[in-house]
Structures are given as structure tokens and as C-alpha cells.
């Protein structure tokens, strides 16, 4: 509903901006002056979304409506920016930073929109949905459970295969990092290899050991899922780091840009 | 066992360092990231005993319970709190802000500012300007604070444009739309948009530090719409028909092509030009020009210039003349004006209204010769005119009088002037003191005999005594008959007249004379006709007026007088200037095709370019001769004639294809070299 509303309002905004741009081109003045100020207005309106999140105790409307408004303004922001700079590339360090921060804001914003629409679904599909802060504790508990399961069996039985596979593969896997970089490098190969290894071993051990291996396999899978959860939640949160920090840079640069424009061209001789 | 602690929530800034082990402490870190772990509870004393207050989430009251002195016995292990999501974000923002601040401080330092704020390269024509301050002069050292200060200045378009017009001369009204004067703008029916009431900055259209200094054709057309709205937007659809183009604009010379082609050139084919280019050529700007008088017109119109083929009326222009008055009535009514020529029938020359602007308006010329019905007030006015005229002539004869008078007596020598005045008013010198004292002498008519003896002529530009016809060579000519013919005006115009009338005219006996005066006695000796004598032009005196006859094309005196008082002239006036030159435009230009009007100069049509086109082989492809004559002898250009090329397909349908925004300006003032100085080496050599 929010997305549909956003798309509808965005289309209306595009029409309005197109009309303004056409009108401004028919004036003997720089259209950049008009669309520059519209661009700045959109930026301020986009920042209101952040303030709304901070002032969540005030009755300022539903967040989903604010999100729709944010998306509409973002559309206007992107379109107005394209009107403002056209196809030209910046020159000079300051303009380059301004251009870069603008581009970062737009890219991270688009990426955020994509991630916020896809990752929650994936997180939901994984099954278990602990908050990111709890995942280390859950992992820790998982390691303890795995150790207790194995040790409980080994107290009464001797099993070289179980001992070997736990020490060489399962335990390191449970201790391994869930960082995004590791996941990108590994691409689930370790997990798949470990599961395959456990399943292969199941053919050569007795029933009791098979039960232990099945439990350990479940724990390995859970650890894998917790890792996926951690990474997705981390991405879902940390894209905002880039987005908000680039907005800060953009705001500062735009204010300076406005002063420079008026200082050099309009006010100054 | 995982403890369900409250600080697992994402909003907490810091997370207990033991949370990763599944054993976070009860209190958790504070907002500053300090470890809050001390004991698992804060025991409370109820009556005489201390009780454990550990929460149920953390296992409830412990079995050990608090120590006797009220301390919890479960000491929490300390940790290094881990920053939570919010704290990480805050740190990230702080670092970013710090980096931006450092970056800006470095960039905004005067040392690096110009490079830092570099807005892009200048357009190629300005490539020699390498220093910002050469144009942004008010930001003298281009410092951040100066720029900041300027940003709050009110917009001053004139000051802004000064940077451009110091090199690009755009005339006095560079700030106005099309550089039009306020008067021209006032005549325009188009309202100026509010945004441009204060003028238009050059930079509105010419954007520096970008790829193109000149807006592209589409942009130019768009800019036009700021004032010229939709009706003119696209040539094929919206441009109005050329109702009177170019006829309305070409009006300095009235040349009827149709009339000349159909009538004059047909009658006298030996004078007909071979083709259009015999009279017209295309200059380097593609503008058609008209060959001068000597090359195109003189062969037929030479006689017009010297007024030779005027059938009736004086061939000279009467500059100073003595109006005829009803002297008897003036005498009868005791209106004293002193001596006055009895036989003058001259009208009141309109030139007097320039020379004597304070003279009251008098009766019409016709009534001046019969004042019997005039009221005392009117008679008084006539007396004022007569006395003012005498005083003025006296002054003129003494010292040349005012600048106005000098303008009307150009190239007339003082001696000739004195002679004319003496002829008209022999006793003027003795009358002036009486007139000045307010007791003018009684009105006296000067007899015709006296006047006839005194009539003489003057010669153009002569500083000598007036020419004495009695001693002239003309009457001593061997062929006396021929000379007399010439003197007595033996030309076509007079040949048709009754000989008796001609003689009467020559000796001043006008058949329509009033006042019931007796006919003039004929002079005893034939006098030469000064008008005929001055065939080549110049000043001459005839009866009661000083005439000036055209000395040729572009006569300097006639040009000046026409410029001052065109209403005094008509097509038959001396020189016949107005036969061809139009006064519709207050004689703003004497030359043909001078596109001086602002509207004309804002339209450019390159004739050379169009004549090079395959399907245009001569001028009449566009300039068709009309069925009925009009001012120019051409049909107006039809819009359809242009549409073959100026259409959407060729993209030549933009306003700028034919119209200029700027009035033509000829040159760039490169004397203002200060801007380029920075781009020269110490040896004065220009850098590439």
C-alpha cells in the first residue's frame, strides 16, 4: 500500500517537476537557480523523516506514511538533481565532493529501498528471527550445547570419528565469524562441505552416533542460519550509516554551494 | 541460560561485554559506555534484615542473600562494553563530520580557495583570463569571507553587467531587453515580466564556466518566450504573416519599383538598369545596399535636384521674406510700423516662426493684404510682427544675431544680407531707435520705383559686394538674344506660359495682386532674373525675399533645414528632396536601407546566403512586383515563401534563425586589457 501510494505520488511529483522545469527554461534566467532551490527543499523534506524517527513520542502520523512521503521526496530529489546538473561532470575539488556525496546519497538511498524490501523477507524465511544483539549469546549457547552433546556421549562411549569431525570441522565452524566479508569470500562452501561431511560420516557409524551427528548437524545448520540473520540485519542497519553520513556531507556542501553561487554570481559583481 | 536482559534492545547505546558469552550483567553499561557491573542486586533492608532484590529474569532472590552489612554477595565480573548500533552510528557520524570539517578548512583557506572552488574552465573566448578576481572584482582576493559577504548583497544587475560591457560595447541601455532605450520599450505592447523589470543580467543567458557561452538555438528560442509568449513560439505554426515586411522598414527612400519598371524604364529604356544588381548589391554582412544617387538616380533626377524642371513656383527656398501688408488700412488706423514695401505680396514666411518665436499668431496671409475687417487687437499683433521683424533684421545685419539665425542663414555673407535689408527698408537704421523707444515712426509705403532700382542679387558664398548686374558680363554677351532668353527663363516650363504673363512675372507684376494698386511701370532697362542666374544654386535676392536654391544632391543647407523644420518643405521645394526622401521617420537617415529602427535591427536576413540557394535565381523570386503600386513597389514577403526551408525538418524554425536578441554591436573593446594581464608572462608574451 505504502509503495503503491509512493509510486502514485512520485508520478505526480514528476509531472509537476517537469512542468516547472519547462516553465523555468522559458525564462531569461538560469533554470538551475529554480531547480537548485527545489532540490534543496527536497533535501530538507527528506531530512524530516529522520527527525520523525527521533521524535517518535510525538503524534506526527504513521511511519509508513512518512516513508511514503520520504520516497516521493526522494524521487523528486533525484529528478531535480538530474535537471540541475544535466550531463555535466563536476570540476574542482569542492564540486566533486558535492557531486560525490550527492551520488552516494542517491545510491545508498536506492540500495536502502531495495534492501528494506528484500532482506526482511529473507530474514522471515530463515525461520528463527532473533535481534542482532542476541545472536552472539545464542551462538555461544549453541557451542556449549554442541560440546555438552558430544561430551555426554563420549563419557560412556569411545568414538574416534565423532571426536575427529567435531575437533576438526564442527567446532571451528561454530566458532567462526559471521561477518559479511567472510561470507562473501566463503560463499557457504564451508557450511555445505561440513554438512556433506557429516552426512557422509553417518553412513559409517552406528545408530547412536548417527543420532549425535544428526543433533550436531542441526546445530551447524542453526549456526549457519544465525550467521545469515546476523549479516542481513547488519546490512539492513549499516546501509543507513553510509546514507546518513553522506547526507550530512551533502547538507554542509550544499549550504556552502549556495553561498558560493550567490557570492560569486548574483550578489557579487 | 540466556538472560533476557533489557539492554539487548537496539536502542541501547552500549552492550555489555559479557553479552556475547550469554552472560550479560544485570545493570549493563551506562550511556557513556562505562561498565555498570558491580553486584547482581542492591539489597534492601526490611525491618532488621537485608533482602536480595535480584530480578526474576536473573534467577530471582539468591539463596546466599546479602551480607550482614547489606552488600550483595554476587559480585559481577567487569567487562569492556561493546558499542551498540546507535553508538556506532553516532561515532560514524562524528568521524564523517570531522573529516568534512578538516576538508573544508583546508579547502577554504585563501591558499587553496581558488583551486578548491574551481567552477570549471572558462569558455574559449575567455580562456586568457586565469584569475578569478579579474572578473569577480568585488571579491578582491577571492576570499571565503568576501564571497560570503557578497552573497547577502542585494542583486545589482547593472554592476553585474559592467563586467561584460567593459569589453563588449552594448550601448547605453545594455541592461534593458534588446538594449532598447526606455522610449522604445515604452512603445512596446509586450509587458516586461516582473523578474526582468530591473533589467536582464548578461549571465542569464551567457553562462560562464560551462561548456557553451552561447545558449544553443533551442535555449535561445526558449528564452524568447519569457516575453514573447506562445503566439510566436514556432515559425511555421505561430509566426504571424508578414503583412508589411519588408516594406514598412524600408522607408527612408520612396522608390516605387513598379512605377519605375512599368513607366519610366519603359519610356526611357536607355536609362533603365540592366538588372537588380545595377542598383543593389549585397554587402559583407549579407545586407542589400542601394547604390548612391550618382550611380543610380542622377541620370534621370539631376534636373530635379537643381529644381530645373519645376513648372511653377520659385525654384529657390524663401528663407527671409518681407510679408505684404495692407498699408493703407494700417495708416488709417494709426498703426505705426515705419517704412514698409508697398508692393510686397509675400506671405508670412513660416521661417519667421523659428526666428521670432515670441511673435503672436497673426491672421492668415490672405487677410494681411486686406486688413479692413481686422480688429484692433489683430492690427496690434500685425504691428508687433512688423516691428519685431524690423528689429530682428537690423540686429542680424549688425552682428549676425543668434545661433538660430545663423543656422537659417548658412553661407550667406553679411554684405549680401545688409544689401537685402537695405533694399527692403532703406531707412531702417534711423527707425530702430524710435522702435526701441516705443514710439515707432508712422507707417509709410515705399514706392515701387525706389524698390525696382534697388533690387539686386547675391552670389553664393560671396564675401564681396553684391553682384551688380548692370556691370555683368551676361548682358555684354555677343549673342544677346540667347542671353536674354536665358535670363528671361526660356525653359520648358515658361515656354508654355503666355509670354505676357511671363514678362509680368519677371518684373514682379502679379496678376492676382490685390489692394487695387496700379500696375507696375516696366523698368527702363531689362534686369537679369536672379533665379535663372543662380541655376547652379546658392543665395539670391528676388523682390521681397532672400531665396536659397539647391546647389546639388545632398545640399548641406537644405539638409539642415529639412532636419530642423521638415514641415516647411514639400515635394516641389528647392532641390525636390522630398520627392524621394521620406520624412515619415523624421529624416532619421538620408540613406536607403539604413536599418536604424530597433525592430529592423533585431531581425537579420542574409540576402547573400539566400541568393546562393539553388531554387532562388533572382530577387523577384521573393520580391514580386504587385499589381497595384504601393510605397515600395513590392508585394510583402509571404510566410509560405520561407516555409520550404524554415520548418521542423530542417530545424530552422527557431526564433534565432532570423531574429537577434542583441542590437548589432560592432566591436569588442580590447583596450580593456586588464583582465588578460594576468595571463601574460613577465616578458609580456601571451600564454597559450
Amino acid at each position: 500500500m505504502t509503495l503503491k501510494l509512493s509510486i502514485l505520488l512520485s508520478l505526480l511529483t514528476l509531472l509537476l517537476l517537469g512542468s516547472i522545469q519547462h516553465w523555468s527554461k522559458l525564462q531569461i534566467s538560469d533554470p538551475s537557480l529554480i531547480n537548485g532551490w527545489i532540490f534543496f527543499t527536497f533535501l530538507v523534506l527528506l531530512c524530516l523523516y529522520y527527525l520523525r524517527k527521533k521524535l517518535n513520542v510525538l503524534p506526527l502520523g504513521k511511519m509508513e506514511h512518512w516513508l511514503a512521503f520520504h520516497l516521493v521526496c526522494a524521487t523528486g530529489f533525484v529528478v531535480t538533481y538530474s535537471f540541475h546538473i544535466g550531463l555535466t561532470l563536476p570540476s574542482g575539488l569542492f564540486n566533486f565532493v558535492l557531486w560525490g556525496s550527492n551520488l552516494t546519497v542517491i545510491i545508498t538511498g536506492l540500495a536502502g529501498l531495495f534492501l528494506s524490501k528484500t532482506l526482511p523477507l529473507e530474514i522471515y524465511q530463515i525461520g528463527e528471527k532473533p535481534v542482532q544483539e542476541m545472536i552472539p549469546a545464542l551462538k555461544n549457547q549453541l557451542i556449549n550445547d554442541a560440546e555438552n552433546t558430544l561430551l555426554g556421549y563420549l563419557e560412556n562411549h569411545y568414538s574416534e570419528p565423532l571426536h575427529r569431525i567435531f575437533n576438526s570441522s564442527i567446532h571451528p565452524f561454530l566458532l567462526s565469524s559471521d561477518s559479511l566479508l567472510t561470507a562473501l569470500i566463503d560463499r557457504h562452501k564451508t557450511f555445505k562441505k561440513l554438512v556433506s561431511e557429516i552426512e557422509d560420516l553417518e553412513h559409517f557409524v552406528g545408530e547412536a552416533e548417527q543420532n549425535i551427528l544428526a543433533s550436531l548437524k542441526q546445530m551447524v545448520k542453526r549456526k549457519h542460519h544465525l550467521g545469515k540473520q546476523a549479516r542481513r540485519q547488519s546490512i539492513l542497519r549499516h546501509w543507513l550509516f553510509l546514507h546518513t553520513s553522506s547526507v550530512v556531507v551533502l547538507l554542509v556542501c550544499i549550504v556552502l554551494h549556495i553561498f558560493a553561487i550567490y557570492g560569486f554570481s548574483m550578489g557579487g559583481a | 541460560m540466556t538472560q533476557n536482559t533489557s539492554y539487548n534492545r537496539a536502542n541501547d547505546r552500549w552492550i555489555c561485554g559479557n553479552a556475547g558469552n550469554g552472560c550479560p550483567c544485570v545493570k549493563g553499561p551506562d550511556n557513556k559506555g562505562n561498565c555498570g557491573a558491580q553486584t547482581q542486586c542492591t539489597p534492601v533492608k526490611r525491618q532488621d534484615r537485608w533482602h536480595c532484590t535480584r530480578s526474576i529474569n536473573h534467577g530471582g532472590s539468591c539463596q546466599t542473600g546479602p551480607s550482614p552489612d547489606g552488600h550483595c554477595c554476587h559480585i559481577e565480573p567487569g567487562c569492556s562494553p561493546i558499542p551498540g548500533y546507535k553508538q556506532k552510528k553516532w561515532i560514524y557520524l562524528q568521524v564523517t563530520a570531522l573529516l568534512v570539517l578538516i576538508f573544508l578548512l583546508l579547502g577554504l583557506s585563501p591558499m587553496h580557495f581558488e583551486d578548491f572552488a574551481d567552477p570549471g574552465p572558462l569558455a574559449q573566448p575567455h580562456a586568457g583570463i586565469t584569475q578569478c578576481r579579474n572578473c569577480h572584482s568585488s571579491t578582491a582576493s577571492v576570499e571565503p569571507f568576501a564571497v560570503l559577504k557578497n552573497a547577502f548583497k542585494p542583486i545589482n544587475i547593472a554592476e553585474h553587467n559592467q563586467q561584460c560591457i567593459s569589453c563588449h560595447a552594448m550601448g547605453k541601455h545594455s541592461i534593458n531587453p534588446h538594449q532598447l532605450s526606455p522610449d522604445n520599450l515604452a512603445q512596446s505592447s509586450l509587458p516586461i515580466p516582473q523578474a526582468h523589470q530591473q533589467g536582464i543580467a548578461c549571465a542569464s543567458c551567457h553562462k560562464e564556466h560551462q561548456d557553451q557561452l552561447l545558449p544553443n538555438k533551442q535555449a535561445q528560442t526558449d528564452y524568447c518566450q519569457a516575453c514573447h509568449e506562445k503566439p510566436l513560439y514556432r515559425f511555421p505554426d505561430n509566426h504571424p504573416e508578414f503583412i508589411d515586411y519588408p516594406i514598412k522598414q524600408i522607408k527612408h527612400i520612396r522608390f516605387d519599383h513598379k512605377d519605375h519598371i512599368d513607366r519610366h524604364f519603359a519610356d526611357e529604356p536607355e536609362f533603365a538598369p540592366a538588372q537588380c544588381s545595377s542598383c543593389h548589391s549585397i554587402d559583407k554582412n549579407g545586407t542589400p545596399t542601394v547604390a548612391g544617387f550618382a550611380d543610380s538616380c542622377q541620370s534621370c533626377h539631376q534636373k530635379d535636384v537643381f529644381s530645373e524642371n519645376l513648372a511653377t513656383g520659385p525654384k529657390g527656398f524663401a528663407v527671409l521674406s518681407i510679408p505684404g501688408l495692407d498699408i493703407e488700412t494700417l495708416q488709417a488706423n494709426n498703426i505705426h510700423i515705419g517704412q514698409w514695401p508697398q508692393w510686397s505680396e509675400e506671405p508670412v514666411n513660416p521661417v519667421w516662426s523659428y526666428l521670432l518665436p515670441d511673435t503672436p499668431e497673426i491672421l492668415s496671409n490672405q487677410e494681411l493684404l486686406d486688413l479692413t475687417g481686422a480688429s484692433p487687437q489683430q492690427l496690434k499683433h500685425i504691428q508687433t510682427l512688423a516691428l519685431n521683424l524690423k528689429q530682428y533684421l537690423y540686429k542680424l545685419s549688425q552682428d549676425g544675431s543668434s545661433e538660430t539665425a545663423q543656422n537659417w542663414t548658412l553661407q550667406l555673407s553679411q554684405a549680401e544680407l545688409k544689401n537685402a535689408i537695405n533694399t527692403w527698408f532703406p531707412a531702417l537704421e534711423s527707425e530702430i531707435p524710435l522702435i526701441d523707444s516705443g514710439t515707432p515712426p508712422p507707417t509709410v509705403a515705399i514706392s515701387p520705383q525706389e524698390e525696382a532700382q534697388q533690387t539686386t542679387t547675391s552670389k553664393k558664398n560671396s564675401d564681396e559686394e553684391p553682384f551688380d548686374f548692370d556691370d555683368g558680363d551676361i548682358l555684354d554677351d555677343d549673342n544677346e538674344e540667347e542671353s536674354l532668353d536665358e535670363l528671361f527663363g526660356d525653359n520648358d516650363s515658361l515656354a508654355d506660359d503666355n509670354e505676357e504673363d511671363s514678362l509680368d512675372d519677371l518684373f514682379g507684376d502679379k496678376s492676382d495682386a490685390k489692394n487695387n494698386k496700379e500696375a507696375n511701370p516696366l523698368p527702363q532697362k531689362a534686369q537679369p532674373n536672379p533665379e535663372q542666374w543662380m541655376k547652379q544654386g546658392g543665395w539670391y535676392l528676388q523682390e521681397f525675399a532672400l531665396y536659397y536654391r539647391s546647389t546639388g544632391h545632398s545640399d548641406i543647407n537644405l539638409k539642415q533645414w529639412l532636419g530642423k523644420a521638415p514641415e516647411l518643405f514639400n515635394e516641389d521645394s528647392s532641390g525636390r528632396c522630398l520627392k524621394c526622401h521620406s520624412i515619415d521617420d523624421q529624416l532619421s537617415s538620408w540613406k536607403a536601407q539604413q536599418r536604424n529602427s530597433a525592430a529592423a535591427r533585431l531581425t537579420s536576413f542574409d540576402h547573400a546566403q539566400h541568393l546562393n540557394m539553388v531554387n532562388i535565381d533572382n530577387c523577384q523570386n521573393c520580391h514580386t512586383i504587385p499589381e497595384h503600386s504601393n510605397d515600395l513597389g513590392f508585394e510583402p514577403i509571404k510566410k509560405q515563401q520561407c516555409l520550404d526551408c524554415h520548418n521542423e525538418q530542417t530545424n530552422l524554425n527557431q526564433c534565432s534563425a532570423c531574429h537577434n536578441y542583441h542590437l548589432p554591436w560592432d566591436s569588442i573593446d580590447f583596450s580593456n586589457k586588464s583582465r588578460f594581464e594576468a595571463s601574460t608572462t613577465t616578458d609580456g608574451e601571451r600564454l597559450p
Side-chain angles (χ1 to χ4, degrees):
Chain A
M1 179 64 189
T2 305
L3 190 62
K4 284 179 184 171
L5 182 68
S6 307
I7 292 170
L8 181 67
L9 290 174
S10 298
L11 288 174
L12 290 174
T13 309
L14 286 180
L15 275 175
L16 181 67
L17 289 175
S19 306
I20 293 173
Q21 177 69 5
H22 179 67
W23 171 82
S24 63
K25 282 174 78 176
L26 301 184
Q27 308 305 308
I28 309 176
S29 58
D30 194 348
S32 306
L33 200 67
I34 296 167
N35 54 42
W37 277 112
I38 296 174
F39 174 75
F40 184 68
T41 308
F42 274 126
L43 184 62
V44 173
L45 291 176
L46 287 166
C47 292
L48 290 180
Y49 182 65
Y50 177 79
L51 290 178
R52 169 67 187 85
K53 285 205 282 189
K54 290 288 158 194
L55 300 171
N56 51 11
V57 290
L58 296 176
L60 295 172
K62 287 183 179 177
M63 276 307 290
E64 63 176 333
H65 294 151
W66 275 91
L67 179 62
F69 178 69
H70 190 73
L71 292 176
V72 170
C73 290
T75 309
F77 177 83
V78 174
V79 170
T80 320
Y81 182 61
S82 64
F83 287 156
H84 191 65
I85 66 159
L87 297 172
T88 55
L89 284 173
S91 58
L93 195 55
F94 175 72
N95 284 337
F96 188 80
V97 170
L98 182 60
W99 177 78
S101 59
N102 225 327
L103 216 58
T104 313
V105 169
I106 291 170
I107 290 170
T108 53
L110 287 171
L113 180 66
F114 172 75
L115 293 173
S116 61
K117 292 293 165 194
T118 54
L119 289 185
L121 196 64
E122 286 184 21
I123 289 169
Y124 181 78
Q125 285 171 343
I126 288 168
E128 196 179 3
K129 298 182 285 291
V131 291
Q132 194 185 9
E133 283 76 10
M134 286 185 69
I135 288 175
L138 291 173
K139 267 177 67 182
N140 202 44
Q141 190 185 357
L142 199 61
I143 293 167
N144 289 338
D145 288 351
E147 285 174 351
N148 291 337
T149 304
L150 185 69
L151 289 175
Y153 178 77
L154 290 178
E155 272 182 4
N156 302 319
H157 308 86
Y158 176 74
S159 177
E160 174 62 23
L162 282 182
H163 187 264
R164 183 178 50 78
I165 196 170
F166 187 82
N167 280 339
S168 64
S169 304
I170 295 174
H171 195 254
F173 179 76
L174 293 176
L175 286 173
S176 65
S177 164
D178 294 325
S179 71
L180 182 63
L181 185 65
T182 312
L184 283 173
I185 295 168
D186 187 61
R187 299 169 67 84
H188 312 311
K189 282 179 189 169
T190 311
F191 167 69
K192 286 174 184 169
K193 190 181 168 188
L194 180 57
V195 170
S196 174
E197 200 177 337
I198 292 171
E199 285 172 350
D200 286 347
L201 189 61
E202 281 175 344
H203 294 105
F204 303 100
V205 294
E207 193 177 344
E209 287 170 319
Q210 281 181 0
N211 290 335
I212 297 298
L213 281 174
S215 300
L216 290 174
K217 192 168 76 174
Q218 285 303 317
M219 289 176 194
V220 165
K221 283 185 178 175
R222 191 174 174 223
K223 194 278 175 181
H224 180 65
H225 288 159
L226 285 174
K228 282 169 84 172
Q229 284 281 9
R231 282 191 297 275
R232 273 153 185 72
Q233 289 189 35
S234 176
I235 292 169
L236 207 51
R237 286 176 170 184
H238 286 88
W239 74 266
L240 256 179
F241 281 33
L242 272 176
H243 192 61
T244 47
S245 57
S246 53
V247 167
V248 170
V249 178
L250 181 63
L251 270 173
V252 174
C253 289
I254 279 184
V255 170
L256 282 176
H257 175 70
I258 291 170
F259 278 125
I261 290 295
Y262 279 92
F264 275 114
S265 61
M266 300 306 289
Chain B
M1 179 186 139
T2 303
Q3 293 175 336
N4 190 12
T5 53
S6 61
Y7 53 85
N8 279 336
R9 287 175 303 190
N11 278 339
D12 286 343
R13 285 188 171 276
W14 293 91
I15 298 171
C16 176
N18 293 325
N21 301 326
C23 315
C25 64
V26 176
K27 287 188 175 176
D30 62 12
N31 269 340
K32 292 181 180 176
N34 299 318
C35 177
Q38 288 174 347
T39 55
Q40 288 190 351
C41 75
T42 307
V44 293
K45 193 174 185 180
R46 298 192 194 108
Q47 296 177 350
D48 291 337
R49 292 191 65 179
W50 290 94
H51 293 269
C52 176
T53 57
R54 193 167 71 177
S55 71
I56 295 170
N57 287 338
H58 292 85
S61 297
C62 62
Q63 291 179 349
T64 318
S67 63
D69 55 354
H71 288 102
C72 176
C73 61
H74 292 284
I75 305 297
E76 291 275 6
C79 73
S80 296
I82 302 164
Y85 166 70
K86 280 183 74 175
Q87 186 60 24
K88 277 184 190 171
K89 198 163 118 181
W90 177 238
I91 292 168
Y92 196 82
L93 281 177
Q94 280 181 316
V95 171
T96 307
L98 187 67
L99 288 174
V100 170
L101 192 66
I102 293 169
F103 168 73
L104 292 178
L105 283 176
L106 285 174
L108 294 175
S109 66
M111 271 190 306
H112 304 113
F113 185 60
E114 286 200 13
D115 293 331
F116 177 73
D118 175 18
L122 291 169
Q124 197 274 333
H126 298 155
I129 303 171
T130 56
Q131 301 289 319
C132 305
R133 68 179 67 94
N134 290 358
C135 293
H136 300 282
S137 55
S138 67
T139 55
S141 54
V142 198
E143 286 174 349
F145 285 114
V147 176
L148 190 68
K149 196 175 161 189
N150 278 339
F152 291 99
K153 267 183 168 181
I155 296 170
N156 186 335
I157 294 174
E159 192 184 347
H160 194 269
N161 283 3
Q162 191 58 42
Q163 301 301 318
C164 306
I165 60 176
S166 59
C167 290
H168 303 275
M170 284 290 170
K172 284 190 287 186
H173 309 292
S174 63
I175 198 171
N176 287 348
H178 298 292
Q179 292 86 58
L180 294 174
S181 68
D183 291 342
N184 277 331
L185 281 178
Q187 289 167 14
S188 168
S189 58
L190 283 173
I192 299 175
Q194 185 64 33
H196 305 308
Q197 293 282 351
Q198 302 302 316
I200 297 177
C202 304
S204 299
C205 301
H206 303 287
K207 296 176 179 62
E208 251 306 353
H209 301 297
Q210 292 190 17
D211 290 343
Q212 285 184 317
L213 189 59
L214 293 172
N216 60 36
K217 289 198 170 185
Q218 178 59 51
Q220 289 175 30
T221 300
D222 288 343
Y223 290 153
C224 299
Q225 308 312 308
C227 300
H228 306 273
E229 292 173 354
K230 288 292 176 190
L232 296 173
Y233 193 42
R234 285 283 183 272
F235 175 70
D237 308 321
N238 309 116
H239 197 287
E241 283 288 346
F242 305 123
I243 298 167
D244 49 14
Y245 180 82
I247 296 168
K248 190 179 177 185
Q249 296 177 4
I250 306 170
K251 57 188 178 183
H252 302 306
I253 303 289
R254 292 187 297 188
F255 184 85
D256 188 336
H257 286 79
K258 178 177 171 59
D259 194 43
H260 277 74
I261 292 169
D262 289 355
R263 201 152 61 92
H264 303 307
F265 297 159
D267 291 348
E268 297 175 280
E270 67 274 19
F271 293 119
Q275 51 195 347
C276 301
S277 59
S278 301
C279 298
H280 300 282
S281 58
I282 308 294
D283 70 9
K284 61 180 179 180
N285 299 319
T287 307
T289 59
V290 182
F293 175 82
D295 296 326
S296 355
C297 316
Q298 184 168 288
S299 55
C300 299
H301 290 281
Q302 180 74 352
K303 286 185 176 179
D304 281 325
V305 170
F306 289 105
S307 304
E308 285 178 20
N309 53 3
L310 269 180
T312 57
K315 292 177 170 51
F317 173 66
V319 181
L320 294 176
S321 62
I322 308 302
L325 298 176
D326 181 357
I327 293 172
E328 287 176 5
T329 306
L330 292 175
Q331 287 170 331
N333 286 279
N334 269 337
I335 300 296
H336 293 182
I337 60 170
Q339 286 184 338
W340 199 265
Q342 186 175 8
W343 303 114
S344 171
E345 292 176 0
E346 293 287 338
V348 178
N349 192 337
V351 177
W352 287 116
S353 64
Y354 286 88
L355 296 174
L356 304 170
D358 299 330
T359 304
E361 202 170 315
I362 55 163
L363 303 170
S364 70
N365 296 327
Q366 185 64 29
E367 288 165 331
L368 290 178
L369 294 170
D370 181 7
L371 295 169
T372 49
S375 68
Q377 183 69 21
Q378 288 169 336
L379 292 173
K380 199 75 185 164
H381 283 174
I382 287 164
Q383 183 190 30
T384 308
L385 168 71
L387 297 179
N388 284 354
L389 191 149
K390 280 188 166 182
Q391 283 176 314
Y392 186 84
L393 286 176
Y394 179 74
K395 254 176 142 180
L396 197 62
S397 67
Q398 296 303 308
D399 57 6
S401 193
S402 64
E403 188 185 341
T404 310
Q406 286 168 11
N407 287 336
W408 284 98
T409 55
L410 281 172
Q411 297 174 323
L412 174 63
S413 73
Q414 196 70 8
E416 287 171 309
L417 185 65
K418 276 186 179 175
N419 178 61
I421 293 170
N422 283 333
T423 304
W424 298 328
F425 304 110
L428 183 64
E429 201 162 344
S430 58
E431 286 178 347
I432 287 300
L434 296 170
I435 293 170
D436 289 344
S437 65
T439 53
T443 304
V444 177
I446 303 175
S447 70
Q449 288 80 2
E450 286 171 314
E451 292 176 41
Q453 293 300 320
Q454 289 165 351
T455 302
T456 187
T457 62
S458 60
K459 188 180 175 183
K460 178 190 167 196
N461 291 335
S462 170
D463 291 333
E464 299 169 2
E465 286 299 310
F467 193 88
D468 183 359
F469 287 102
D470 290 344
D471 299 331
D473 294 337
I474 286 176
L475 296 181
D476 296 335
D477 198 291
D478 294 339
N479 190 344
E480 190 176 341
E481 190 180 347
E482 188 181 327
S483 301
L484 281 172
D485 281 346
E486 192 179 352
L487 286 172
F488 288 101
D490 183 20
N491 55 21
D492 292 343
S493 60
L494 292 179
D496 296 336
D497 294 339
N498 182 301
E499 190 179 338
E500 192 180 342
D501 288 348
S502 300
L503 286 171
D504 287 346
D505 282 349
L506 182 62
F507 294 107
D509 184 11
K510 315 280 188 207
S511 58
D512 57 349
K514 298 194 175 177
N515 300 334
N516 300 321
K517 296 183 174 73
E518 292 179 7
N520 271 345
L522 285 169
Q524 292 176 351
K525 185 179 179 182
Q527 293 285 339
N529 185 329
E531 188 172 81
Q532 292 300 317
W533 175 251
M534 298 305 291
K535 263 187 173 178
Q536 293 305 309
W539 289 94
Y540 65 89
L541 173 64
Q542 187 163 29
E543 297 184 335
F544 305 103
L546 260 173
Y547 288 91
Y548 182 83
R549 187 165 174 177
S550 166
T551 58
H553 190 251
S554 293
D555 183 280
I556 190 166
N557 277 1
L558 289 173
K559 273 177 82 171
Q560 177 159 325
W561 297 333
L562 265 164
K564 284 179 185 306
E567 69 276 10
L568 302 184
F569 293 81
N570 57 38
E571 281 192 22
D572 291 333
S573 297
S574 180
R576 308 200 70 183
C577 309
L578 299 187
K579 185 175 182 184
C580 302
H581 292 281
S582 167
I583 57 171
D584 294 345
D585 201 19
Q586 278 78 47
L587 286 166
S588 60
S589 174
W590 289 90
K591 292 184 178 174
Q593 204 67 9
Q594 292 292 312
R595 308 183 73 190
N596 279 334
S597 78
R601 286 186 289 159
L602 293 174
T603 302
S604 61
F605 184 87
D606 190 335
H607 280 77
Q609 193 180 26
H610 284 77
L611 280 169
N612 283 335
M613 291 169 64
V614 174
N615 56 346
I616 296 179
D617 52 6
N618 68 54
C619 304
Q620 290 193 28
N621 281 58
C622 299
H623 298 288
T624 54
I625 305 297
E627 195 174 333
H628 302 290
S629 261
N630 56 27
D631 283 349
L632 190 65
F634 286 132
E635 289 282 11
I637 300 292
K638 290 184 173 59
K639 193 173 143 186
Q640 189 59 38
Q641 292 172 285
C642 311
L643 283 180
D644 289 343
C645 298
H646 294 270
N647 52 41
E648 294 281 352
Q649 285 73 37
T650 57
N651 202 25
L652 289 170
N653 58 340
Q654 317 283 358
C655 305
S656 54
C658 303
H659 298 290
N660 313 312
Y661 173 75
H662 293 292
L663 289 170
W665 47 279
D666 298 327
S667 61
I668 296 175
D669 179 12
F670 284 110
S671 62
N672 187 359
K673 291 177 181 168
S674 58
R675 295 179 198 290
F676 293 88
E677 279 171 2
S679 60
T680 55
T681 62
T682 48
D683 299 326
E685 194 178 328
R686 282 291 292 279
L687 290 171

